[in-house]
Amino acid sequence: MSMLEACLFDLDGVIVDTAKYHFLAWRQIAQELGFVFTEADNERLKGVSRQRSLEILLEIGGVALEPVDKERIAAKKNALYLQYVHKMRPEEILPGARDFLIECRKVGLKTALATASRNAQVILDLLQIAALFDVVMDGNKVSRTKPDPEVFLNCARDLGVAPSRCAVFEDAEAGIEAAIAADMLSIGIGQPEILKRADLVVPGLAHISIAGLRAASDKKKNAVA
Ligand code: G6P
Ligand code: MG
């Protein structure tokens, strides 16, 4: 009998592919600062907060800035990013995401959004899926970003569920590390070569069923027992 009670979802790369918009915005900032920012560089920013992303970007470009300029540039990047986000349509939700969320709720699993993004609410509204989450834990409500487990532990607390009864869906390595640190079942969304430490890796939410999820949960429980 599976002990699973809740599913916690990362946003970018799991529910919607906003990574491409983050990339376009950061690339423009890099261009204005006089260096080239590639898609491979962008991998390093996945799951990382806006401020930390800027630090990594500046490190890549070998650029040093005063704190006041960092503030200004982070705000500019966000304005550029939001221009793309505001054009988003509900069809941009990743394949299987809406159905899987609906399925979870149908079988009585609680759902939460767990993301470093401070733009989560506007994205959920544009995708018309805000009502599918019992809890929304975003970058405005957590102080430590993944791989720190804070965002996931806050979700468990607000849902009233023990961390060991939660499953996390994550596309970033830092997110899988955070799920492990939170003592939760970790489901990687992406490639097994990158998400090596996840309990199970699938290419997307279209490739997992509630039965498959419960089987992964039972397997982990038996391995621990
Ligand atoms: C997610 C994305 C990161 C992004 C972060 C902050 O974790 O994977 O690439 O930097 O959110 O997003 P925000 O919308 O607050 O700038
Ligand atoms: Mg992500």
Side-chain angles (χ1 to χ4, degrees):
M1 175 57 188
S2 173
M3 306 285 279
L4 216 55
E5 289 182 30
C7 289
L8 320 183
F9 299 86
D10 174 47
L11 177 66
D12 302 83
V14 172
I15 303 287
V16 66
D17 181 19
T18 41
K20 59 185 179 220
Y21 303 136
H22 282 295
F23 170 65
L24 292 172
W26 283 127
R27 188 176 65 175
Q28 184 166 334
I29 295 290
Q31 205 172 7
E32 286 172 20
L33 291 171
F35 63 93
V36 174
F37 177 68
T38 67
E39 275 193 78
D41 293 329
N42 194 52
E43 284 301 307
R44 291 179 61 190
L45 309 190
K46 288 189 178 171
V48 174
S49 73
R50 196 181 309 160
Q51 292 305 328
R52 180 72 196 121
S53 295
L54 176 59
E55 299 292 345
I56 296 172
L57 186 92
L58 295 176
E59 189 189 300
I60 290 169
V63 174
L65 289 180
E66 294 299 323
V68 52
D69 291 322
K70 286 185 189 169
E71 283 296 316
R72 183 177 50 79
I73 288 184
K76 178 159 189 193
K77 182 269 169 179
N78 199 47
L80 290 167
Y81 173 66
L82 285 176
Q83 282 180 10
Y84 294 109
V85 162
H86 282 300
K87 289 185 197 135
M88 260 174 22
R89 294 283 165 267
E91 301 81 66
E92 282 192 56
I93 187 163
L94 284 169
R98 181 193 301 274
D99 287 349
F100 189 70
L101 280 161
I102 292 171
E103 201 57 31
C104 283
R105 300 173 69 85
K106 215 187 271 175
V107 301
L109 289 168
K110 293 181 177 170
T111 56
L113 188 78
T115 174
S117 174
R118 291 172 182 257
N119 296 304
Q121 197 59 54
V122 60
I123 294 173
L124 292 185
D125 291 341
L126 284 163
L127 295 176
Q128 298 171 13
I129 53 169
L132 295 178
F133 294 96
D134 296 306
V135 160
V136 173
M137 193 60 59
D138 65 16
N140 301 300
K141 299 182 193 156
V142 289
S143 47
R144 297 184 298 273
T145 58
K146 304 163 188 175
D148 190 285
E150 185 186 9
V151 65
F152 296 136
L153 293 174
N154 284 358
C155 286
R157 181 199 61 205
D158 285 8
L159 288 171
V161 171
S164 61
R165 296 187 177 205
C166 296
V168 166
F169 295 81
E170 255 296 343
D171 70 315
E173 240 184 314
I176 296 294
E177 294 301 328
I180 293 168
D183 189 27
M184 296 177 177
L185 179 72
S186 58
I187 311 293
I189 302 293
Q191 299 168 358
E193 307 80 57
I194 295 174
L195 305 170
K196 293 185 207 77
R197 297 197 63 213
D199 291 304
L200 173 72
V201 180
V202 290
L205 290 175
H207 299 262
I208 180 112
S209 62
I210 299 293
L213 180 64
R214 291 207 190 277
S217 164
D218 291 344
K219 191 174 156 202
K220 184 181 168 101
K221 202 182 79 208
N222 292 335
V224 171

